[in-house]
Amino acid sequence: MQGGGVSGFHNAPVTRAIVLASGLLSVVFSVNRRARALGLSYQDIIKNFRVWRIFGSVFAFQSTPELMFGLYLLYYFRVFERQMGSNKYSVFSLFAIAVSLPLEILSLVLLKDTNYITALASGPYGLIFASFIPFFLDIPITSRFRIFGVNFSDKSFIYLAGLQLLVSSWKRSLIPGICGLIAGSLYRLNVLGIRRRKLPQIVASFFARFFAPPSASSSRPSRSLVGNVPSHTGRAVQNQPSTGFAPVVEPPESSIAMLVSMGFDSNAARQALMRARNDINVATNILLEAQSH
């Protein structure tokens, strides 16, 4: 799904907080004409020990194009917070930043005498490019098409946005992007058992309380996305007359979880999978078509 599932920040308060922090800090530094001074440099961090600059460099982008592509990707990747839950997504975000940031500083130390680069681009590159690892491995392609004879998929535009951000400042943005990819790979490999870690519940409650968007539809019953498909329970239909068709088999929980992670309602996902006879790509198309009506 090109929009990352259900629109808005539904079930994604941590992502909302990150997007707000990144957007506001970028605007503040830009208005004060200090955006260009945000990037990490060997002179500032190692020699002058201006550690306070790390905070600004982690969240604030230095230019409008970087801000636009960066916020778009952060918004799209909210799908992973819906999949993991806000608590584990907080761990993922902190891990991505905590790993990519030292790698960026190390790259500055190693390259200080080469004149290859003097400062790095600022912004949440670590988190954004760490998210490309689960995006590549876990998000299925739901449609393919051709433009001027070139094959594309519904994931292509996300890759193109990432590529644009990666080379937006060339060497200055390339290194933070690579560090983010390394951080995402280490998380995927479950280094130090990081994928089992959780933050104290008070942290998740804080984000849910202050950053969860108000739900206008929480007081109304949800409308089925797949029309008049009957709802079934978790077992194959039994004792039905023989009609020449195979019985409707309950979809695997992993398939339901995949569709839920893309932002669909679990009940609608179950019904769509039953209609599609557990073909996840067909079920996704059913849900997308239902949303367009």
Side-chain angles (χ1 to χ4, degrees), residues 37 85 144 184 251 256 259 264 286:
R144 298 180 186 273
I256 297 173
L259 292 173
F264 294 117
I286 291 173

Side-chain angles (χ1 to χ4, degrees), residues 35 67 72 84 132 134 136 156 161 169 183 188 241 253-254 258 267:
L67 176 64
Y72 171 71
M84 302 176 185
F132 271 99
F136 174 74
S156 298
S169 297
R188 184 74 182 193
E253 290 300 321
S254 59
M258 175 64 71
N267 213 31

Side-chain angles (χ1 to χ4, degrees), residues 41-138:
S41 69
Y42 178 81
Q43 185 75 21
D44 285 332
I45 303 302
I46 305 300
K47 281 196 169 183
N48 298 330
F49 203 65
R50 295 175 180 171
V51 182
W52 58 269
R53 297 189 64 168
I54 292 177
F55 179 79
S57 71
V58 166
F59 288 101
F61 291 101
Q62 292 177 295
S63 69
T64 301
E66 290 172 332
L67 176 64
M68 291 174 60
F69 283 104
L71 293 189
Y72 171 71
L73 290 169
L74 285 171
Y75 178 75
Y76 179 90
F77 288 142
R78 74 199 186 282
V79 64
F80 298 122
E81 181 175 358
R82 292 169 176 166
Q83 180 181 21
M84 302 176 185
S86 295
N87 196 308
K88 285 195 172 183
Y89 185 74
S90 299
V91 174
F92 171 76
S93 301
L94 290 173
F95 181 82
I97 294 171
V99 171
S100 61
L101 190 58
L103 289 176
E104 292 177 30
I105 295 173
L106 178 61
S107 69
L108 288 172
V109 173
L110 295 176
L111 298 172
K112 65 182 176 65
D113 296 324
T114 64
N115 293 324
Y116 180 76
I117 192 168
T118 57
L120 300 177
S122 68
Y125 281 81
L127 174 58
I128 290 172
F129 286 94
S131 300
F132 271 99
I133 301 301
F135 176 73
F136 174 74
L137 296 172
D138 296 336

Side-chain angles (χ1 to χ4, degrees), residues 6-252:
V6 175
S7 62
F9 291 99
H10 178 67
N11 288 338
V14 177
T15 301
R16 187 170 190 248
I18 294 171
V19 168
L20 287 174
S22 181
L24 289 174
L25 285 173
S26 299
V27 171
V28 168
F29 281 110
S30 178
V31 168
N32 293 330
R33 300 183 182 279
R34 298 181 62 182
R36 284 294 169 189
L38 281 173
L40 294 180
S41 69
Y42 178 81
Q43 185 75 21
D44 285 332
I45 303 302
I46 305 300
K47 281 196 169 183
N48 298 330
F49 203 65
R50 295 175 180 171
V51 182
W52 58 269
R53 297 189 64 168
I54 292 177
F55 179 79
S57 71
V58 166
F59 288 101
F61 291 101
Q62 292 177 295
S63 69
T64 301
E66 290 172 332
L67 176 64
M68 291 174 60
F69 283 104
L71 293 189
Y72 171 71
L73 290 169
L74 285 171
Y75 178 75
Y76 179 90
F77 288 142
R78 74 199 186 282
V79 64
F80 298 122
E81 181 175 358
R82 292 169 176 166
Q83 180 181 21
M84 302 176 185
S86 295
N87 196 308
K88 285 195 172 183
Y89 185 74
S90 299
V91 174
F92 171 76
S93 301
L94 290 173
F95 181 82
I97 294 171
V99 171
S100 61
L101 190 58
L103 289 176
E104 292 177 30
I105 295 173
L106 178 61
S107 69
L108 288 172
V109 173
L110 295 176
L111 298 172
K112 65 182 176 65
D113 296 324
T114 64
N115 293 324
Y116 180 76
I117 192 168
T118 57
L120 300 177
S122 68
Y125 281 81
L127 174 58
I128 290 172
F129 286 94
S131 300
F132 271 99
I133 301 301
F135 176 73
F136 174 74
L137 296 172
D138 296 336
I139 300 298
I141 293 174
T142 57
S143 63
R144 298 180 186 273
F145 52 93
R146 292 169 65 90
I147 299 178
F148 299 119
V150 181
N151 292 319
F152 290 93
S153 75
D154 56 329
K155 296 175 66 173
S156 298
F157 295 105
I158 302 301
Y159 287 125
L160 290 173
L163 180 62
Q164 173 63 38
L165 184 62
L166 185 65
V167 300
S168 57
S169 297
W170 189 220
K171 294 177 288 188
R172 297 176 64 250
S173 55
L174 190 63
I175 291 176
I178 292 173
C179 293
L181 291 171
I182 294 172
S185 300
L186 292 176
Y187 182 88
R188 184 74 182 193
L189 293 172
N190 198 25
V191 173
L192 302 177
I194 188 63
R195 297 177 68 175
R196 297 192 299 272
R197 307 292 181 186
K198 285 188 176 182
L199 294 178
Q201 188 58 37
I202 190 173
V203 177
S205 300
F206 169 81
F207 284 106
R209 180 175 181 181
F210 292 101
F211 294 101
S215 175
S217 59
S218 58
S219 60
R220 305 195 299 263
S222 60
R223 179 175 59 88
S224 173
L225 291 176
V226 291
N228 298 320
V229 180
S231 176
H232 297 279
T233 57
R235 62 185 67 86
V237 176
Q238 302 284 339
N239 301 324
Q240 56 182 349
S242 176
T243 61
F245 295 99
V248 179
V249 179
E250 172 65 14

